[in-house]
Amino acid sequence: MYDLGDIVEMKKAHPCGVNRWEITRMGADIKIKCTGCGHVVMMPRREFNKKLKKVLESTKPIKLNY
């Protein structure tokens, strides 16, 4: 899944030409910021889940099972 601070790729690219977004707020609504031009978009979580393509960079630490 995704978490606060993750860099995600959406299905459609932003008009500035970059398709990398940083998640800046999570709750019932998700706020994302374009890493290219800094444009901020807020959308309901359900809509975000439909438009999300994949998580590019995660801020979660990797758990190793030893």
Side-chain angles (χ1 to χ4, degrees):
M1 284 307 288
Y2 48 83
D3 202 6
L4 190 64
D6 288 357
I7 305 295
V8 296
E9 181 179 352
M10 304 305 277
K11 290 181 181 175
K12 291 186 179 179
H14 191 249
C16 73
V18 177
N19 199 8
R20 293 172 56 92
W21 298 82
E22 179 184 359
I23 300 175
T24 57
R25 180 184 185 275
M26 290 184 61
D29 295 324
I30 307 272
K31 186 185 282 188
I32 55 176
K33 182 172 89 173
C34 179
T35 58
C37 66
H39 182 76
V40 176
V41 176
M42 193 168 195
M43 64 182 78
R45 185 180 288 262
R46 174 172 266 167
E47 182 181 341
F48 176 81
N49 288 335
K50 287 180 186 177
K51 294 182 176 185
L52 177 68
K53 188 171 183 181
K54 63 182 173 180
V55 176
L56 299 175
E57 298 174 22
S58 181
T59 57
K60 293 181 193 173
I62 300 171
K63 292 183 181 179
L64 301 174
N65 296 327
Y66 288 110

